[in-house]
Amino acid sequence: MSLSTDDRRAQEARTPPVKTEASVGRPVSGRMPLRHRLRRDRTLLLMTLPAMLLLLVFAYIPLAGNIVAFQDYDPYVADNAFQAIAQSPWVGFEWFQQMVNDRLFWSALRNTLTIFLLQLTLFFPVPILLALFINSFVRPRVRAVAQAILYLPHFFSWVLVVTVFQQMFGGAGLIAQTLREHGHEGFDLMTDPGLFKFLITFEMIWKDAGWGVIVFLAALAAVSPDLYEASAMDGANRWHRMWHITLPALRPVVALLLVLQVGNALTVGFEQILLQRTAVGPGASEVLDTYVWNVGITNGGFSYAAAVGIVKGIFGLLLVLGANKVAHLMGEQGVYKK
């Protein structure tokens, strides 16, 4: 039945007009105005404000102190640090030239890279293997207990971790005493310079490998169980499902963590190494972080230590950019998109 002209007009009058983006003050095309986004996300912005202030105060504002790397900085020429920076003479790139000719710097750099390669080879795969084992072989009832046992050492301080290893592998430790009681010669791994790099790597594995498992198990939790069920119906066994479903699901997370790990190549456990430095000597244990500590804090060479810190930061940035480029070539996002 057709409506008359008067009926159609009456129906149109009763029908509320449709609100378009232009009618509510938004552009028809393009992004939402900034004021609307701020109003929409104000709760989230307030939640992130403390973290942003913390990052600003302790990370970005201290970057201004790198100016002392180009000065002969003396903190005692004035009453406060700002006046001391203003009154310290400029020396240009003198400290960087000294760093290039410093044999101790190159020794610390060599030890740092060696420890990083060991940790990348021995430590990085362990959380992945543990996550695969727990996800594929451990029963769900046992899984929570296994995770708790594995990541419990993460909450131990490095003082406690070193103490535990000392009581187990030191000259007066449990293993050495047991060997002596049975007529064998004891050993002391804690004071062996040749094994020091392997020792601190295994200390890190015991302390932090279980904590890294959480990240990979979270990535595996996002995999749909339907994929495993469909592959099992098609005849895939447990190993085939792990190779074709589980490992591809971990690739983005592995690529991201690998990029971050490479970015920290020049930052290896400062506290862990400083606690054991006296036992093995600086020749085997001196890394860039302990070198900066000894030069800058212990000996008062603030300008030289700042120069070493700048070089370390630039080198770390280049490593992150290079590793992220490799991740892009492998088809992964990495730290940021292309």
Side-chain angles (χ1 to χ4, degrees), residues 24-326:
V24 296
R26 298 179 185 175
V28 177
S29 61
R31 299 176 58 187
M32 183 185 298
L34 178 61
R35 65 179 182 276
H36 294 296
R37 293 200 302 257
L38 292 177
R39 187 181 301 111
R40 180 194 62 187
D41 301 331
R42 60 181 179 274
T43 304
L44 295 176
L45 292 175
L46 289 175
M47 292 175 59
T48 58
L49 185 60
M52 295 173 60
L53 291 176
L54 190 68
L55 188 65
L56 178 66
V57 172
F58 291 99
Y60 286 100
I61 293 180
L63 288 176
N66 286 328
I67 193 175
V68 302
F70 306 94
Q71 295 179 316
D72 186 8
Y73 176 69
D74 185 0
Y76 304 106
V77 299
D79 295 333
N80 57 68
F82 298 101
Q83 294 180 357
I85 292 176
Q87 297 179 17
S88 296
W90 294 88
V91 296
F93 292 93
E94 177 181 340
W95 300 116
F96 295 91
Q97 296 174 356
Q98 179 179 337
M99 179 177 56
V100 173
N101 299 322
D102 189 354
R103 179 181 57 84
L104 297 178
F105 166 77
W106 291 108
S107 176
L109 178 61
R110 182 171 59 253
N111 288 337
T112 302
L113 294 177
T114 303
I115 294 174
F116 163 71
L117 292 176
L118 278 176
Q119 292 180 353
L120 186 65
T121 305
L122 300 178
F123 171 75
F124 188 77
V126 173
I128 303 175
L129 297 177
L130 288 175
L132 292 175
F133 176 78
I134 293 175
N135 186 72
S136 301
F137 298 99
V138 178
R139 296 180 180 179
R141 294 183 178 179
V142 187
R143 188 174 301 173
V145 179
Q147 293 180 47
I149 295 174
L150 285 174
Y151 68 67
L152 180 62
H154 173 77
F155 299 98
F156 296 164
S157 66
W158 277 114
V159 176
L160 181 57
V161 172
V162 173
T163 302
V164 170
F165 272 75
Q166 177 68 38
Q167 295 299 320
M168 292 296 297
F169 304 106
L174 179 62
I175 299 178
Q177 289 183 4
T178 303
L179 290 175
R180 293 190 188 98
E181 291 175 357
H182 291 80
H184 301 284
E185 185 179 357
F187 61 88
D188 188 359
L189 298 182
M190 305 299 293
T191 58
D192 191 341
L195 298 177
F196 177 73
K197 298 177 178 63
F198 295 94
L199 174 66
I200 62 175
T201 301
F202 285 110
E203 289 175 353
M204 177 171 288
I205 291 175
W206 183 72
K207 185 178 188 296
D208 288 331
W211 185 257
V213 171
I214 298 177
V215 178
F216 296 105
L217 286 178
L220 293 177
V223 181
S224 175
D226 297 338
L227 294 177
Y228 292 102
E229 295 176 1
S231 61
M233 294 179 61
D234 291 337
N237 58 29
R238 180 174 294 176
W239 297 104
H240 291 158
R241 294 195 296 268
M242 181 184 297
W243 183 260
H244 295 286
I245 299 177
T246 306
L247 289 179
L250 289 178
R251 276 187 57 183
V253 180
V254 171
L256 174 61
L257 295 182
L258 188 59
V259 171
L260 297 177
Q261 184 79 9
V262 172
N264 289 326
L266 301 184
T267 303
V268 291
F270 166 73
E271 182 182 358
Q272 176 192 11
I273 294 176
L274 190 65
L275 290 170
Q276 306 174 81
R277 185 173 181 269
T278 306
V280 296
S285 62
E286 190 79 292
V287 295
L288 285 181
D289 285 345
T290 58
Y291 179 72
V292 169
W293 168 270
N294 292 323
V295 172
I297 304 300
T298 305
N299 299 326
F302 300 103
S303 296
Y304 183 63
V308 176
I310 289 176
V311 172
K312 174 187 170 184
I314 294 176
F315 190 48
L317 175 62
L318 294 177
L319 286 176
V320 169
L321 295 177
N324 203 73
K325 182 65 176 180
V326 174

